[in-house]
Amino acid sequence: QVQLVESGGDSVQAGGTLRLSCAMSGSSVSGTCMGWFRQTPGKEREVITFITGDDRPWYGESVKGRFVISKDVAKNTLYLEMNALKPEDSGVYYCAAKSVGYCTTRSDRYYYWGQGTQVTVSS
């Protein structure tokens, strides 16, 4: 059974840095499409970034140049390095993995989800 467990969420000042982690068990991050999604109250879960099975990243416009997604195969963990944080980056961050197939921005195509970790950025 595949499980994803996020950690690293916190409250920070604008301009600060956070690193989120997503530990995978039951499968390998290697060769797996994985992504980070953000949800805020009253809004649908939106994709922030994903990384393909062959480690090609994609970033949404709101985080391009500030966030970095990466995998550590040895630790079987997905990371999200968040730099130059803004208040609008606040929300619950979820990591997700597809069971098969190519990466997509559609959240309904991801099969495995973590429980979420809260990020709060104050101005």
Side-chain angles (χ1 to χ4, degrees):
Q1 183 178 352
V2 176
Q3 288 190 318
L4 301 174
V5 179
E6 300 103 333
S7 61
D10 205 346
S11 296
V12 297
Q13 295 279 339
T17 296
L18 280 177
R19 188 175 79 158
L20 305 184
S21 301
C22 173
M24 176 180 254
S25 59
S27 185
S28 175
V29 300
S30 177
T32 299
C33 167
M34 301 186 72
W36 288 98
F37 293 75
R38 178 175 65 215
Q39 189 161 25
T40 53
K43 293 188 177 181
E44 291 190 1
R45 199 169 293 185
E46 62 170 343
V47 64
I48 299 301
T49 175
F50 61 69
I51 186 166
T52 66
D54 57 352
D55 296 340
R56 289 177 291 118
W58 173 91
Y59 298 98
E61 286 299 320
S62 66
V63 304
K64 196 176 290 184
R66 299 188 299 122
F67 290 11
V68 178
I69 189 172
S70 64
K71 297 175 182 175
D72 185 326
V73 175
K75 295 183 178 180
N76 212 29
T77 299
L78 177 74
Y79 296 102
L80 181 64
E81 184 80 22
M82 309 166 72
N83 302 300
L85 281 160
K86 304 175 182 180
E88 52 263 43
D89 294 322
S90 298
V92 179
Y93 282 71
Y94 296 89
C95 73
K98 291 197 71 187
S99 56
V100 293
Y102 297 103
C103 277
T104 174
T105 58
R106 291 182 54 171
S107 61
D108 62 346
R109 301 298 188 186
Y110 288 77
Y111 192 76
Y112 304 108
W113 291 86
Q115 81 287 355
T117 187
Q118 177 72 46
V119 172
T120 303
V121 184
S122 57
S123 57

